Amino acid sequence: MAAGETTQLYARVSNKLRGRSTPSLLDPLLAMGFPAHTALKALAATGRKTAEEAADWLHCHRDDPSLDDPIPQEYALFLCPTGALLERLQEFWRESRRQCAKNRAHEVFPHVTLCDFFTCEDQKVESLYEALKRAGDRALGAFPQAVPLVLHSSISYLGFFLSGSPADVIREFAVTFAAEASVLADCAVKPCTKQLHLTLAHKFYPHHQRTLEQLARAIHPGHACQWTAALYSRDMRFVHYQTLRALFQYKPQNADELPLSPGDYVFVDPSQQEEASEGWVIGLSQRTGRRGFLPENYTDRASEADTWVKHRTYTFSLAADLNSRKDGDGGSRQNAEFPPPQTSRSFSSIQDLQATARRSVLVVRHGERVDQVFGKSWLQQCSTPDERYYRPDLNFPRSLPRRGCGLKGFESDPPLSCCGEFQSRAAGAALLDSGVRVTSVFASPALRCVQTAKLLLEELKLEKKIKIRVEPGIFEWTKWEAGKTTPALMSPEELKEANFPVDTDYRPAFPLSCLLPAESYGEYVDRCTASMSRIVDTCPQDTGVILLVSHGSALDSCTRPLLGLPPRDCGDFAQLVRKIPSLGMCFCEENREEGKWELANPPVKTLTHGCNPAFSWRSWLLGN
């Protein structure tokens, strides 16, 4: 559209808004000097509540490169419960997440979807509000006093179905809104005319179905409720992105980093993270529209609907007979039916741990690796022309073990940094204090993993009692390793010569020679599954901890086979692994009574620390 046509269009919109009886929100923004198209965009992005909110949005987005792009918001209409029913549903949300982990239903608030998401041009949003009012007024007289909710459960879905003539009235309301929106706002709205439902849980683990059903039965469908039709919008560009919420303030160290304030939301595309270093992600700030790098451990995963904007609501007044559904009775029933918390436990003392001792598996990620700090060219920074090692920074290791291929072998098999050694010793000391009884140790053949295992054993005072069994089957997914060939790893014999307490008689489940370069995700999962089966079968049946020291990926790929869970989606797996810190742990216990393994709280906490940038006293002094 040409610039002149754009100006005429927004002039017509402005004149139309000025002709209304209510003061226009656009006028104050135009008076401030904002262009009409960006002012309308700000109003749509903030729900057209006040001119002040829109002005603040424009101020924050002054450096947003997409500010002038004609990208409309996406809108959807939901029927939302309120009152006592909403409180019970929110309690179910909390308990189901605590007992059974997060599932897809937790991404959005309790609701009944009335139409698919659709787009609406910024200058026509007020007409969309009028469509909601007209549809609500038409349905108000026929809207049901009570909406029957019937619990439905399957292996991957749990929720209430809306049935009977009340559901027909609600569907008719959705159809009317779609028709009004088409006429008034020129929007193509697809109403939901099939089975209406209020989802409680979706895409959960099959073994959680029974617990979720128990929690759902505590929600009495007869709880008092006023139903509200709510119009929400979202930024259509980030539908398939992950949403992070900032937990701490972060001040950028470089120009390409994002500033963070607690509560900020950041959109992250999982498929565009190749440029980011480990522990960092590339994201786009919802508050400012700017794109940049940010430290992932400063954030937490947020729900999809946290960034949605509520525009307008229409509440249907229900003349329900509250005496027939007493909240007091419902509350006592709810308290009686909630089962006690299951799964995860934390041990308060060594005695508690020993009293509940079972055979268990503790999977630990290795400590900080030297290339994680100094980059891929770390070896060039610490080697002389005649290939001798020297220490250019205190976080470089004091020395490197001898290996047959010389220093070049460390390029694809880096050692721990000094901080990594400290992390490993701190974790080992904490494990000793916790009272865990480690009975066997397996390690990935990567040098950093064997080093971590050795330091853990030393702090546990077990370095002379237990030998490390090097198991290539729990090595990193080779697709993530640099190069087209399998990394040159030290053999058990070389490790023993370098004073690592490895068991040279151990016959691994997956020999080193069988590792495939750039293996597929399925091949990697199958390798870990077979290795875990062999490891568990190899160990004695008495109580104790089988310690696995491996890579961040092992916390997922080596525990899911034990828990009887299917492999995680490849994209979700990659994003999950990025969040696992050095010495991150995952703990599984065997429940022999029920013949299965269960997740439990690791016996020790993780170690959190901040970054420490390089410092040159000469540059600092001369620069000042």
Side-chain angles (χ1 to χ4, degrees), residues 326-615:
K326 297 177 182 178
D327 292 341
D329 295 341
S332 61
R333 186 184 303 110
Q334 182 263 343
N335 290 333
E337 291 188 8
F338 262 105
Q342 299 174 356
T343 62
S344 297
R345 303 189 309 275
S346 58
F347 302 107
S348 59
S349 67
I350 296 176
Q351 289 75 20
D352 292 339
L353 180 64
Q354 292 173 341
T356 57
R358 301 175 176 181
R359 191 166 64 139
S360 52
V361 171
L362 177 63
V363 186
V364 182
R365 188 195 176 195
H366 58 76
E368 179 186 84
R369 45 194 279 182
V370 69
D371 62 328
Q372 181 181 337
V373 184
F374 299 102
K376 295 180 180 179
S377 62
W378 71 274
L379 198 56
Q380 285 71 44
Q381 301 173 45
C382 63
S383 56
T384 63
D386 57 349
E387 293 192 3
R388 292 186 179 183
Y389 174 78
Y390 72 98
R391 193 182 186 194
D393 184 283
L394 288 180
N395 202 20
F396 274 82
R398 295 176 179 82
S399 61
L400 295 177
R402 291 184 179 181
R403 57 194 308 167
C405 53
L407 284 181
K408 290 184 179 180
F410 293 103
E411 190 167 14
S412 60
D413 186 25
L416 294 178
S417 66
C418 265
C419 283
E421 295 176 7
F422 167 77
Q423 293 168 336
S424 303
R425 290 194 179 280
L431 286 172
L432 179 66
D433 292 341
S434 74
V436 298
R437 188 169 67 89
V438 174
T439 55
S440 55
V441 178
F442 295 81
S444 160
L447 175 59
R448 55 193 180 274
C449 297
V450 179
Q451 286 179 310
T452 302
K454 176 186 178 183
L455 295 170
L456 290 174
L457 282 175
E458 287 178 356
E459 293 300 320
L460 284 165
K461 314 300 183 187
L462 296 173
E463 70 274 16
K464 295 182 179 180
K465 298 179 181 178
I466 298 178
K467 290 185 177 182
I468 302 170
R469 301 175 186 179
V470 178
E471 177 52 70
I474 58 174
F475 181 65
E476 181 67 277
W477 183 12
T478 58
K479 181 182 177 181
W480 288 347
E481 293 295 314
K484 297 182 180 180
T485 60
T486 306
L489 303 170
M490 296 178 69
S491 67
E493 290 72 23
E494 283 184 303
L495 290 169
K496 186 175 181 180
E497 290 178 7
N499 293 322
F500 290 100
V502 297
D503 184 356
T504 54
D505 294 327
Y506 173 67
R507 294 295 174 260
F510 204 94
L512 188 60
S513 58
C514 294
L515 283 179
L516 298 175
E519 63 191 338
S520 68
Y521 179 59
E523 290 170 334
Y524 167 69
V525 169
D526 291 343
R527 165 162 64 85
C528 291
T529 301
S531 299
M532 285 306 300
S533 176
R534 171 71 181 279
I535 287 171
V536 172
D537 291 343
T538 300
C539 295
Q541 295 296 312
D542 60 341
T543 59
V545 175
I546 305 169
L547 176 62
L548 268 67
V549 183
S550 186
H551 311 265
S553 54
L555 270 68
D556 185 74
S557 59
C558 289
T559 57
R560 292 179 76 85
L562 285 180
L563 300 171
L565 299 177
R568 195 182 299 274
D569 176 79
C570 184
D572 293 340
F573 170 77
Q575 288 305 305
L576 176 73
V577 171
R578 296 177 66 89
K579 293 178 178 288
I580 298 173
S582 300
L583 273 299
M585 301 181 184
C586 198
F587 194 52
C588 298
E589 287 186 327
E590 185 182 28
N591 186 334
R592 292 182 179 174
E593 294 78 13
E594 299 184 15
K596 63 181 183 180
W597 289 77
E598 301 171 334
L599 281 176
N601 284 332
V604 300
K605 303 295 184 181
T606 54
L607 174 69
T608 303
H609 57 81
C611 63
N612 191 45
F615 172 70

Side-chain angles (χ1 to χ4, degrees), residues 66-308:
S66 67
L67 185 59
D68 292 319
D69 294 346
I71 304 174
Q73 294 277 306
E74 274 192 327
Y75 296 81
L77 186 64
F78 303 108
L79 187 66
C80 303
T82 64
L85 178 59
L86 176 60
E87 293 175 3
R88 299 297 183 269
L89 290 168
Q90 289 173 332
E91 191 163 0
F92 173 87
W93 250 246
R94 289 189 295 269
E95 276 300 303
S96 62
R97 183 165 185 171
R98 186 178 69 84
Q99 295 193 33
C100 304
K102 186 176 181 180
N103 62 69
R104 282 291 299 168
H106 292 113
E107 293 289 339
V108 188
F109 42 80
H111 70 280
V112 178
T113 301
L114 297 183
C115 70
D116 295 343
F117 272 96
F118 61 93
T119 58
C120 179
E121 298 176 30
D122 294 339
Q123 66 269 23
K124 298 178 181 179
V125 174
E126 280 202 2
S127 298
L128 205 57
Y129 303 164
E130 180 65 22
L132 173 59
K133 184 179 185 304
R134 290 188 184 185
D137 289 346
R138 187 177 300 180
L140 183 60
F143 199 87
Q145 292 185 351
V147 178
L149 302 176
V150 179
L151 186 64
H152 174 80
S153 178
S154 70
I155 195 169
S156 62
Y157 176 84
L158 180 71
F160 289 120
F161 281 1
L162 282 64
S163 59
S165 58
D168 295 335
V169 174
I170 295 171
R171 275 191 287 265
E172 182 61 30
F173 164 68
V175 171
T176 303
F177 169 76
E180 293 288 351
S182 176
V183 173
L184 298 175
D186 193 24
C187 295
V189 182
K190 182 181 179 181
C192 294
T193 57
K194 296 182 179 180
Q195 176 66 65
L196 297 178
H197 54 274
L198 193 159
T199 300
L200 297 175
H202 182 43
K203 291 188 177 179
F204 48 83
Y205 297 131
H207 66 281
H208 286 153
Q209 182 178 358
R210 182 178 178 183
T211 301
L212 291 169
E213 288 176 352
Q214 290 177 333
L215 295 174
R217 293 191 190 100
I219 306 171
H220 190 257
H223 283 306
C225 175
Q226 273 195 329
W227 292 91
T228 297
L231 185 68
Y232 281 84
S233 75
R234 67 184 183 187
D235 195 320
M236 62 187 298
R237 295 174 297 169
F238 308 117
V239 172
H240 300 295
Y241 283 47
Q242 291 182 347
T243 306
L244 304 180
R245 181 193 293 109
L247 302 175
F248 313 105
Q249 185 174 13
Y250 178 74
K251 294 182 178 180
Q253 309 289 320
N254 299 289
D256 59 354
E257 296 175 5
L258 273 182
L260 296 177
S261 296
D264 281 358
Y265 291 101
V266 180
F267 299 110
V268 174
D269 185 353
S271 66
Q272 297 181 358
Q273 300 301 317
E274 294 84 0
E275 301 176 30
S277 303
E278 187 173 1
W280 291 76
V281 293
I282 305 173
L284 190 143
S285 169
Q286 185 201 34
R287 181 171 59 86
T288 65
R290 291 179 55 191
R291 184 176 184 268
F293 293 90
L294 63 143
E296 195 169 12
N297 61 351
Y298 276 55
T299 66
D300 193 12
R301 185 76 178 268
S303 297
E304 176 185 340
D306 288 348
T307 59
W308 293 359

